[in-house]
Amino acid sequence: MKKLLASALLCSSFVSPPVFATAPPIEQQKQVAGYYQYQSGDVQITALLDGTNFMSPTLFKDIPQKQVHEILKKYYADQDKGVQTSVNAFLVNTGKSLVLVDSGAASCFGAHLGSVLSNLKASGYKPEQVDTILLTHLHPDHVCGISKDGKANFPNATVYVSQDEANYWLNPKQAEKIPQEKRAGYLSTVEKIKAALAPYQAKQRFKTFKLGDDIQGFKVINTAGHTPGHFSYELKTNAETVVFIGDIVHSHTVQFDRPETSIEYDIDPKQAVQTRLKQFADFAKHGQTIAAPHLPFPGMGHIYSADGKSYQWIPVHFKD
Ligand SMILES: [Zn+2]
């Protein structure tokens, strides 16, 4: 026994003793998986977080920077890194069909985005179950998530986008019409779009629609401006009307207080503002439930207006 104790002491003398003077810090934990289940009558909508982005306040147009900062301050949103923005996608289980509306950025914009696929799996659904993908437009933060390294992430899905949008990005003649200073940016975006769509096109699973069409019970709404063929999708459930608005708005602060403020990403800023004003007025009047890719996750809620000029974002209340 004595011998054992002696050898134990000997062993421990080789290990440097721990310092107990100050307690080690308690390790901070990660945010939970980014999905949120929303029940709309019989239909389940799963909001999927792709990640968090930070936008420069200088991207807002037609508004003095001083006013931008005043609004951000009011919302406690003025941050050193920039204006915090979510990138969201939505999975809709209608009972007959599993529809993904937009798909996140995958690796097109860096490692801070690209979690739609892992969050979809974490939510309990399987990528093979998705039969329809509705894209509001073809910007990389909406289309890149459908594929990875030339393979379809959703092997049984058919991808839909408007005919106008497909024409703007996929018609080779279009490049000549883009102003010289914007052409390089346009062409690099086109490359990303083509890579994402290729595996679906190879299997004839890429389709376009026009105004008046209906896809799996979703009505298409022309909301052009942000891009030339931008569309929103309306779904009537047995409880309410839900509108998947796409990029008619990028900020729950500046563009709600001052909806006539466009953003650098808008291809036709004037039309984008007109679309937002028209849609916001309609949503404030009729109270549709809104699902938005760039409002704070889960990006679902309602739009309220006290005066018909400025608006307020009313997020859904957490429900378990
Ligand atoms: Zn976007």
Side-chain angles (χ1 to χ4, degrees):
M1 187 65 190
K2 257 187 185 171
K3 205 178 168 187
L4 237 162
L5 192 70
S7 74
L9 280 170
L10 197 71
C11 281
S12 67
S13 69
F14 286 106
V15 183
S16 53
V19 181
F20 290 111
T22 52
I26 298 166
E27 200 182 329
Q28 295 188 354
Q29 302 302 315
K30 280 188 177 171
Q31 185 63 282
V32 292
Y35 63 88
Y36 179 79
Q37 306 287 13
Y38 175 87
Q39 200 67 34
S40 175
D42 292 343
V43 173
Q44 185 178 48
I45 300 170
T46 308
L48 301 167
L49 180 71
D50 198 47
T52 305
N53 217 1
F54 291 91
M55 302 188 301
S56 165
T58 60
L59 291 172
F60 294 107
K61 302 283 175 190
D62 321 311
I63 183 171
Q65 274 296 296
K66 188 171 170 283
Q67 199 170 4
V68 169
H69 285 286
E70 278 167 10
I71 295 170
L72 292 172
K73 202 174 165 197
K74 178 183 117 181
Y75 284 94
Y76 289 86
D78 204 357
Q79 298 167 37
D80 293 342
K81 279 202 265 182
V83 185
Q84 185 177 321
T85 315
S86 290
V87 177
N88 311 315
F90 301 93
L91 188 66
V92 187
N93 180 356
T94 67
K96 293 185 208 130
S97 193
L98 193 59
V99 180
L100 181 65
V101 184
D102 290 328
S103 70
S107 56
C108 282
F109 284 146
H112 61 299
L113 299 176
S115 296
V116 159
L117 189 62
S118 57
N119 282 330
L120 182 147
K121 290 175 187 167
S123 77
Y125 287 102
K126 295 186 182 74
E128 311 84 70
Q129 292 178 297
V130 177
D131 53 68
T132 305
I133 299 172
L134 303 178
L135 299 174
T136 55
H137 62 302
L138 288 176
H139 272 158
D141 55 321
H142 299 258
V143 68
C144 282
I146 65 173
S147 302
K148 187 172 192 275
D149 301 330
K151 277 197 175 154
N153 282 335
F154 305 97
N156 301 315
T158 300
V159 177
Y160 293 85
V161 77
S162 80
Q163 181 59 53
D164 291 346
E165 188 73 0
N167 189 47
Y168 180 77
W169 297 105
L170 302 175
N171 184 343
K173 285 182 187 161
Q174 183 61 34
E176 298 156 24
K177 297 181 198 163
I178 305 293
Q180 191 66 43
E181 70 276 11
K182 292 194 171 165
R183 201 170 292 171
Y186 167 84
L187 289 173
S188 108
T189 303
V190 167
E191 285 314 304
K192 288 173 182 160
I193 295 168
K194 280 185 175 170
L197 294 176
Y200 296 88
Q201 286 174 313
K203 290 199 280 180
Q204 278 80 50
R205 285 182 177 274
F206 174 64
K207 292 187 177 169
T208 58
F209 62 78
K210 56 187 185 331
L211 196 64
D213 286 354
D214 181 286
I215 307 153
Q216 306 286 10
F218 289 73
K219 180 183 154 192
V220 304
I221 305 167
N222 188 330
T223 44
H226 176 62
T227 62
H230 188 285
F231 269 72
S232 306
Y233 299 97
E234 181 187 284
L235 180 70
K236 281 191 163 63
T237 72
N238 57 350
E240 60 185 357
T241 300
V242 185
V243 185
F244 300 85
I245 60 173
D247 285 11
I248 68 164
V249 64
H250 290 80
S251 160
H252 74 291
T253 55
V254 178
Q255 290 182 316
F256 273 77
D257 273 32
R258 291 281 311 274
E260 65 281 8
T261 306
S262 66
I263 196 160
E264 180 69 29
Y265 312 129
D266 294 332
I267 290 176
D268 184 337
K270 274 192 187 143
Q271 194 185 13
V273 167
Q274 287 313 309
T275 293
R276 179 166 43 259
L277 294 174
K278 179 173 176 253
Q279 295 300 320
F280 272 25
D282 182 66
F283 301 147
K285 188 177 174 195
H286 297 107
Q288 298 95 321
T289 295
I290 302 300
H294 297 309
L295 297 181
F297 181 79
M300 299 194 67
H302 293 88
I303 291 175
Y304 170 81
S305 181
D307 56 10
K309 288 178 189 146
S310 66
Y311 293 86
Q312 203 182 331
W313 175 238
I314 315 287
V316 286
H317 303 144
F318 183 90
K319 192 162 168 258
D320 60 9

